[in-house]
């Protein structure tokens, strides 16, 4: 199972909005509404930010939103803040297992 | 507070074995499926193995199938990963994580335990 494709890096200024894409196939992202997104700060464990494409867990800021179109899922961070600087990973169900994305480093300029 | 604490990592030679443990607290352990996820140094996340709440159903990623065994002791609130025939490419930080109630995400992660496979 190949990893889902994410851009290596995305950057933005404080207050701006950025979008991270996550491209798979009809066997994973396109086939199921089971895409989740994780934030990982350096040296820390991943943290769930979005589940089932667009749902936010309790306690996650509404600045984070998720969507999907065809085989590509997206995570949008609006009102970018310094604390959002981290690595972000998508993940999808694949009928028999799960697969993560390649990861995106978000830099706040 | 939900907590997961991994242990058992260390330096092992190629071909050797290690058993990782993950002690859970703050929730009804037997009600949740669990997974192991690893992250090689400077690399991305990789799903390793999963187990149902009862322990009766298990899944493995292809790279570890036949070498790793996931298990759990619900009376001790502990998850395990028995790692045999270790290879250099198994070197990684190993996280245990709780599967969401919906079944398709990971809503709580431990801090990880480092496994290094080297001669």
């Amino acid at each position: 199972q190949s990893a889902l494709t994410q851009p290596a890096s995305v950057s933005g200024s404080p207050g701006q909005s950025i979008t991270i894409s996550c491209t798979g196939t009809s066997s994973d992202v396109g086939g199921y509404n089971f895409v989740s997104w994780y934030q990982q700060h350096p040296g820390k464990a991943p943290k769930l930010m979005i589940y089932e494409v667009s749902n936010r867990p309790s306690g996650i800021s509404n600045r984070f939103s998720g969507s999907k179109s065809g085989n590509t899922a997206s995570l949008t961070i609006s009102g970018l803040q310094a604390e959002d600087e981290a690595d972000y990973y998508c993940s999808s169900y694949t009928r028999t297992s799960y697969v993560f994305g390649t990861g995106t480093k978000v830099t706040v300029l | 507070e939900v907590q997961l604490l991994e242990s058992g990592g260390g330096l092992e030679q190629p071909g050797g074995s290690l058993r990782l443990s993950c002690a859970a607290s703050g929730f009804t352990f037997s009600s949740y499926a669990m997974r192991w996820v690893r992250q090689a140094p400077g690399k991305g996340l990789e799903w390793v193995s999963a187990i149902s709440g009862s322990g009766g159903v298990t899944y493995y990623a292809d790279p570890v199938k036949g070498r790793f065994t996931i298990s759990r002791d619900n009376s001790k609130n502990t998850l395990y990963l028995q790692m045999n025939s270790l290879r250099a490419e198994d070197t990684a930080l190993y996280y245990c994580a709780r599967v969401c109630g919906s079944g398709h995400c990971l809503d709580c992660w431990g801090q990880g335990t480092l496994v290094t496979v080297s001669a």
Side-chain angles (χ1 to χ4, degrees):
Chain A
Q1 181 68 49
S2 299
L4 306 174
T5 301
Q6 298 180 231
S9 63
V10 174
S11 62
S13 299
Q16 287 186 331
S17 292
I18 61 169
T19 297
I20 303 168
S21 61
C22 170
T23 302
T25 69
S26 57
S27 296
D28 39 62
V29 174
Y32 309 93
N33 287 325
F34 296 135
V35 176
S36 50
W37 288 90
Y38 303 87
Q39 176 193 64
Q40 186 179 34
H41 286 109
K44 300 295 186 181
K47 177 182 179 181
L48 178 66
M49 305 302 285
I50 295 287
Y51 67 97
E52 293 175 7
V53 177
S54 61
N55 296 298
R56 278 188 310 276
S58 174
I60 300 302
S61 171
N62 59 9
R63 297 186 300 104
F64 292 85
S65 61
S67 62
K68 190 185 84 167
S69 178
N71 296 336
T72 298
S74 299
L75 174 71
T76 297
I77 309 175
S78 58
L80 198 63
Q81 299 180 1
E83 67 207 50
D84 301 331
E85 186 161 292
D87 293 327
Y88 291 81
Y89 294 91
C90 60
S91 179
S92 175
Y93 177 66
T94 69
R95 186 173 70 83
T96 58
S97 65
Y98 295 83
V99 61
F100 284 101
T102 50
T104 298
K105 180 175 181 58
V106 169
T107 300
V108 181
L109 302 172
Chain B
E1 179 189 6
V2 175
Q3 286 193 327
L4 298 171
L5 183 61
E6 302 94 337
S7 61
L11 175 63
E12 184 57 65
Q13 294 186 342
S17 298
L18 280 174
R19 188 174 86 152
L20 307 184
S21 299
C22 171
S25 60
F27 65 102
T28 304
F29 183 64
S30 61
S31 295
Y32 289 84
M34 300 290 294
R35 290 192 215 157
W36 288 99
V37 174
R38 68 184 180 184
Q39 187 170 34
K43 302 297 184 180
L45 301 172
E46 180 185 21
W47 170 74
V48 174
S49 184
I51 189 168
S52 62
S54 66
V57 181
T58 58
Y59 297 94
Y60 299 93
D62 286 342
V64 308
K65 203 170 293 183
R67 300 187 298 121
F68 290 10
T69 302
I70 190 172
S71 63
R72 63 192 298 162
D73 186 337
N74 287 341
S75 68
K76 295 182 178 179
N77 291 343
T78 302
L79 175 72
Y80 303 101
L81 186 67
Q82 177 66 44
M83 310 165 66
N84 298 332
S85 302
L86 284 164
R87 305 168 179 169
E89 54 264 36
D90 295 321
T91 294
L93 187 62
Y94 284 74
Y95 294 101
C96 68
R98 188 180 77 170
V99 177
C100 302
S102 65
H104 299 292
C105 55
L106 302 173
D107 64 358
C108 181
W109 297 62
Q111 287 304 303
T113 186
L114 182 62
V115 172
T116 303
V117 183
S118 175

